[in-house]
Amino acid sequence: WVLRVRYADGASPEWAAFALVSHPSAVDQRVDAVGPPKPLETCQDAHAKAQARCEGSRAEVWGLADRLGGAGVQRRSIDKKKSGDLPIKGGHVYRLATGLLVVLDVQNATSERHWSPTVATLRPIRRGQPALRVRAVAVRGGRIAPGEVGQVAVEVDLPSPGVAPPFRLELPEGSGGSV
């Protein structure tokens, strides 16, 4: 019989294999396995990786704190009736101290391919006003399957004092239209 077991610490190697040979006069109810001792460098490397993961999550928290800038978050709902050409199921606009975050529930109306917008433009509807600078475009889960509804987030700079809503969000690589 071959018995394969995982080490409790989950480190490398992850498992060990034993060949069990029975003998009529001997019965063992327990098998203890101890792996070889790990070199100091391996432990230090694992510790450094764990610290980097912790610091990375802390950096995200501080990034959010910086964007809030000590102010409250203002939120406004996006009505799907005012959504233009794209099949928008709803969404929200969040005003942070340093910019706007537009989060939309968008349906991928194509029946052939997954969709993941990478470019967006947010421009005032009133002519002659400049478009806002887009900082990031992201899709929850990486992409939206054909016929499915997914969330798209767009982060943009705050508009200048003279630039006023309403705005038009364009996702040109999307389902053939804009919001």
Side-chain angles (χ1 to χ4, degrees):
W1 293 87
V2 176
L3 176 66
R4 182 175 160 175
V5 296
R6 289 192 176 275
Y7 286 108
D9 62 3
S12 182
E14 294 179 13
W15 56 273
F18 298 93
L20 302 178
V21 180
S22 64
H23 190 277
S25 64
V27 176
D28 288 326
Q29 294 179 346
R30 179 176 158 169
V31 175
D32 292 324
V34 178
K38 296 185 184 357
L40 178 61
E41 295 82 22
T42 303
C43 294
Q44 288 173 335
D45 185 46
H47 182 358
K49 287 178 183 176
Q51 276 186 319
R53 281 194 311 270
C54 291
E55 288 171 4
S57 63
R58 287 186 203 126
E60 292 170 4
V61 170
W62 289 117
L64 178 59
D66 290 343
R67 284 186 282 179
L68 292 174
V73 176
Q74 298 175 17
R75 183 186 83 151
R76 175 174 274 172
S77 294
I78 296 174
D79 185 1
K80 67 180 182 177
K81 295 177 186 173
K82 299 177 183 176
S83 63
D85 302 332
L86 280 176
I88 304 298
K89 301 301 180 185
H92 296 91
V93 177
Y94 301 91
R95 186 183 189 281
L96 310 172
T98 60
L100 300 174
L101 179 63
V102 181
V103 180
L104 300 170
D105 295 324
V106 181
Q107 182 174 17
N108 181 354
T110 67
S111 60
E112 311 162 351
R113 60 184 170 86
H114 286 75
W115 177 54
S116 183
T118 57
V119 177
T121 305
L122 186 67
R123 64 177 85 245
I125 290 179
R126 203 168 3 151
R127 294 181 189 259
Q129 294 184 339
L132 303 180
R133 186 176 76 86
V134 174
R135 295 181 190 170
V137 179
V139 176
R140 187 180 300 268
R143 59 189 186 161
I144 304 171
E148 297 292 324
V149 175
Q151 285 190 321
V152 177
V154 180
E155 184 180 3
V156 298
D157 284 340
L158 280 175
S160 303
V163 178
F167 297 99
R168 180 176 183 85
L169 178 65
E170 300 170 353
L171 299 168
E173 296 175 14
S175 302
S178 56
V179 177

